Amino acid sequence: MAEDQYKPHPSRDDAAEFRYHRRAFLVMMALFLVAPMVVYPVFVMKALCFALFACAFNLLLGFGGLLSFGHAMFLGMAGYVSAHAAKVWGFPPEFAILAGTAAATVLGVFAGLLAIRRQGIYFAMITLALAQMVFFFSLQAPFTGGEDGIQAVPRGTFLGFLDLTNTYVLYYVVLAIFTAGFLLIYRIIHSPFGQVLKAIRENEPRATSLGYRTDHYKLAAFVLSAGLAGLAGATKAIVFQLASLTDVHWSMSGEVVLMTLLGGMGTIFGPVVGAFAIIAMENYLAELGSWFTITQGAIFVVCVLAFRRGILGELEAWLRRRRAG
Amino acid sequence: MTEIFGKPLPVIMGQMLIGLINGSFYALLSLGLAVIFGLLNIINFTHGAQYMMGAFAAYFLLNKLGVNYWWALLLAPLAVGATGVIIERLMLSKLYKLDHLYGLLLTFGLALIFQGAFRHQFGSAGLPYSIPESLSGGQNLGFMFLPNYRAWVIVASLTVCLGTWFVIERTKLGAYLRAATENPSMVQAFGVNVPRMITLTYGFGVALAALAGVMAAPIYQVNPLMGADTIIVVFAVVVIGGMGSIMGAVVTGFGLGIIEGLTKVFYPEASNTVIFVIMAIVLMIRPQGLFGSR
């Protein structure tokens, strides 16, 4: 699976890279801190949830080289569990979110054990099929509410003192969750574990011959990605007070692939950019119905044919060329 | 009334028949996927949309041009196959040097475009397509009633599958094809136009999907999303069978259709998921698929 376009940063000085990431991170955080004063906060919260979802997905695709076409199962299942925990069991929001995340992690262990038995295209088909199974389960299981989903989920009080019925309090809690997830993913990518993962992506037989149990690493990456996708889904259910079939449907799995591809797979900030772009587009094109689907498809085609590094990948390549020249 | 495990025989037979019908389509669709995958190394995500386009082409031919079912069986696959040739020439051919995943992403995007465009044009409600005159009615087999059209679908699907198997495994053309699957550059060195062969193979695979669509039109309603969920089941069928052999695709397709039908009788709650469960079990025991080779 060693392909040029997968390499996010060929031969760049680590210190320079760290400085670039720190600067970009500070700019991003500054934008998010003031965003609710300028933009409708619910829109930004939705985009933040999807950005975390896309970052979790990118951990698996961009750094592990594994294309999962079923990540909606983690987003959706975590949403159901967290909504159920908050509404029926009366969990406070922080424990509801934890319960959802834990459910997605456990699901990730089982799905991962099955999916990593095959590679490449088969891996994508297996994850898609497993997600479809979870979709039908969600349609029929008594606790998910079938077509209606779980509605009117109480937001409650976060950690006992943050009243989430206030939109601004909710916004900064969501931002904190996103930031924690984002930094965790950054840490994972730059840990020795992340390095081994990249080595497996580039050349699995060589990683095996160096003595790494590649299956263990792939499974760990899958479970981490599933859990973080679950964190995004659980948070989303609390924010929108709703867990529904939309979040487990295969089109959601396609959407997160699109966000990552458009933003730039294998880049740190690309999935965030991609998520905001797609959610903004959805906002404006939603009333046009099938045009949104057509546009999504067209973006896929254009990205694959002409624009494989995505927005951030192209931008970084351009900056690098300018610095070199 | 005869009963098996507490279920009346006609009910079981009825669901078996539905299972065989579904299996006919699984077999045809997974056969097309396997043919395309063999030479192009691409999983054609657009397959479900092309199946849908075949059904729509039949609908159009009948209602706008007055062309009957039998001509549609020939013309619709040709038309949709031609669009496949264009897609291969303009887009897929640019991706062969890249990671195979890009082919999957591209064809997924194309599926979204086609499904979105047809939904925009025709809405999500199904359009009816009537059974051709000569195949209406049915036979009373004593233990069950067999509609003629359904019998025809099973026979036609089996014939097409066996025909494809014969061409690929037993003719000179098929030998070229198998050789090109093994080692394209060597075959090219012998003077065979491999790129053209790849283009035509994709066109043929797409035409198979469209043919399945025409046959499906009178059974299921013609609907822009009719292929969207089917293709996911077919992916599971392909994972279970493995894409190594043509016969494997056919046997797995029919077999899983029957199992799905029987599940509807004995444990209806699981009928949607049974194929995925079987996929999980096969992955645990024999990850390369029942007929797959490493």
Side-chain angles (χ1 to χ4, degrees):
Chain A
M1 214 165 275
E3 298 289 342
D4 277 347
Q5 63 283 351
Y6 264 135
K7 285 176 197 155
H9 308 294
S11 71
R12 179 120 66 109
D13 186 13
D14 280 353
E17 180 179 306
F18 179 70
R19 275 200 303 278
Y20 156 73
H21 283 153
R22 192 174 51 190
R23 219 175 303 149
F25 178 74
L26 291 175
V27 171
M28 181 177 81
M29 288 317 288
L31 285 175
F32 285 158
L33 283 172
V34 299
M37 326 291 174
V38 193
V39 197
Y40 185 47
V42 176
F43 164 77
V44 190
M45 283 191 274
K46 184 177 182 188
L48 280 174
C49 291
F50 278 103
L52 180 56
F53 183 31
C55 286
F57 175 79
N58 185 43
L59 173 64
L60 192 61
L61 173 62
F63 298 93
L66 298 169
L67 172 60
S68 156
F69 234 101
H71 250 48
M73 65 178 146
F74 307 121
L75 183 84
M77 196 39 74
Y80 277 126
V81 171
S82 122
H84 187 78
K87 190 176 176 183
V88 181
W89 297 338
F91 277 28
E94 65 275 17
F95 284 110
I97 290 174
L98 278 181
T101 311
T105 312
V106 173
L107 184 61
V109 172
F110 288 110
L113 277 173
L114 288 172
I116 60 164
R117 297 178 73 93
R118 299 301 303 267
Q119 284 157 2
I121 284 167
Y122 281 100
F123 183 89
M125 291 198 288
I126 291 165
T127 44
L128 177 64
L130 291 173
Q132 190 74 351
M133 186 158 85
V134 171
F135 174 81
F136 283 119
F137 171 78
S138 310
L139 188 63
Q140 291 168 341
F143 85 98
T144 56
E147 302 270 356
D148 299 331
I150 305 176
Q151 299 177 355
V153 178
R155 280 178 178 162
T157 315
F158 197 80
L159 296 175
F161 69 100
L162 293 164
D163 180 14
L164 296 188
T165 47
N166 180 323
T167 310
Y168 289 94
V169 175
L170 180 65
Y171 175 83
Y172 287 105
V173 169
V174 171
L175 180 58
I177 292 174
F178 165 80
T179 312
F182 182 85
L183 290 175
L184 178 62
I185 291 170
Y186 186 83
R187 191 64 223 121
I188 294 170
I189 290 168
H190 292 86
S191 69
F193 169 79
Q195 298 298 319
V196 177
L197 211 55
K198 275 183 249 179
I200 294 172
R201 176 191 72 193
E202 297 299 330
N203 192 334
E204 187 168 344
R206 193 175 294 172
T208 309
S209 75
L210 286 172
Y212 292 107
R213 291 174 183 270
T214 54
D215 273 359
H216 292 193
Y217 282 88
K218 286 200 280 190
L219 180 62
F222 193 89
V223 173
L224 282 168
S225 173
L228 285 158
L231 178 62
T235 310
K236 183 169 171 290
I238 298 292
V239 171
F240 289 95
Q241 305 183 279
L242 172 74
S244 72
L245 283 174
T246 318
D247 287 354
V248 269
H249 194 246
W250 57 260
S251 53
M252 183 59 78
S253 299
E255 214 161 293
V256 73
V257 181
L258 182 60
M259 288 170 182
T260 309
L261 182 67
L262 176 64
M265 50 181 156
T267 65
I268 304 286
F269 297 94
V272 181
V273 175
F276 271 80
I278 298 291
I279 296 299
M281 203 179 78
E282 194 176 73
N283 239 21
Y284 291 108
L285 292 180
E287 60 265 42
L288 294 172
S290 39
W291 277 111
F292 177 56
T293 319
I294 298 175
T295 317
Q296 277 189 324
I299 296 176
F300 259 112
V301 172
V302 171
C303 279
V304 170
L305 287 178
F307 198 57
R308 277 183 288 274
R309 282 187 285 216
I311 297 173
L312 258 244
E314 295 289 345
L315 192 70
E316 286 173 6
W318 179 74
L319 285 175
R320 225 175 299 136
R321 269 201 307 275
R322 213 183 54 161
R323 203 170 302 152
Chain B
M1 193 177 277
T2 327
E3 291 195 355
I4 298 178
F5 298 121
K7 303 285 174 186
L9 186 63
V11 173
I12 294 179
M13 282 304 174
Q15 290 299 342
M16 282 272 277
L17 178 65
I18 293 177
L20 270 176
I21 297 282
N22 286 338
S24 309
F25 294 118
Y26 295 158
L28 274 177
L29 291 172
S30 57
L31 177 67
L33 280 181
V35 168
I36 292 172
F37 181 77
L39 203 54
L40 282 80
N41 269 319
I42 278 178
I43 270 294
N44 185 30
F45 221 128
T46 326
H47 221 65
Q50 280 149 345
Y51 160 76
M52 174 272 290
M53 285 158 75
F56 265 98
Y59 176 81
F60 254 109
L61 287 169
L62 184 69
N63 291 294
K64 305 283 172 197
L65 305 173
V67 177
N68 70 17
Y69 175 83
W70 302 104
W71 279 104
L73 273 183
L74 179 70
L75 293 177
L78 277 179
V80 181
T83 65
V85 166
I86 295 169
I87 289 170
E88 198 280 339
R89 277 291 83 205
L90 290 183
M91 299 176 183
L92 286 175
S93 57
K94 313 274 184 278
L95 301 178
Y96 296 140
K97 289 192 181 66
L98 302 172
D99 195 297
H100 304 328
L101 297 179
Y102 285 108
L104 183 74
L105 296 177
L106 180 86
T107 49
F108 179 71
L110 289 173
L112 288 183
I113 294 177
F114 292 145
Q115 277 158 6
F118 276 81
R119 201 164 48 131
H120 180 69
Q121 206 60 37
F122 302 99
S124 314
L127 304 168
Y129 184 95
S130 49
I131 294 176
E133 201 65 42
S134 45
L135 288 176
S136 54
Q139 311 294 329
N140 195 342
L141 301 182
F143 54 92
M144 68 177 293
F145 180 78
L146 176 65
N148 285 342
Y149 186 77
R150 298 191 173 220
W152 149 253
V153 165
I154 297 169
V155 173
S157 161
L158 267 178
T159 314
V160 172
C161 289
L162 293 177
T164 309
W165 173 83
F166 182 81
V167 169
I168 291 181
E169 299 291 337
R170 291 285 182 271
T171 65
K172 190 157 186 189
L173 179 72
Y176 282 146
L177 205 69
R178 280 177 288 133
T181 307
E182 285 300 315
N183 192 338
S185 44
M186 181 72 85
V187 176
Q188 184 131 28
F190 282 134
V192 177
N193 188 343
V194 173
R196 193 173 66 196
M197 203 150 102
I198 291 178
T199 307
L200 292 177
T201 303
Y202 186 74
F204 175 71
V206 170
L208 274 181
L211 179 70
V214 180
M215 298 206 303
I219 295 184
Y220 313 115
Q221 289 202 314
V222 181
N223 178 326
L225 295 176
M226 64 192 278
D229 286 344
T230 312
I231 195 62
I232 302 178
V233 179
V234 173
F235 280 174
V237 172
V238 162
V239 172
I240 294 169
M243 280 189 288
S245 84
I246 305 272
M247 268 308 179
V250 179
V251 172
T252 327
F254 276 99
L256 287 170
I258 293 173
I259 293 177
E260 197 183 36
L262 289 178
T263 314
K264 256 182 212 135
V265 183
F266 292 104
Y267 190 55
E269 291 83 0
S271 60
N272 285 326
T273 44
V274 64
I275 291 188
F276 304 120
V277 174
I278 294 175
M279 181 192 80
I281 296 170
V282 168
L283 280 173
M284 280 187 279
I285 300 168
R286 200 178 147 82
Q288 70 270 39
L290 297 178
F291 298 89
S293 50
R294 276 280 170 188

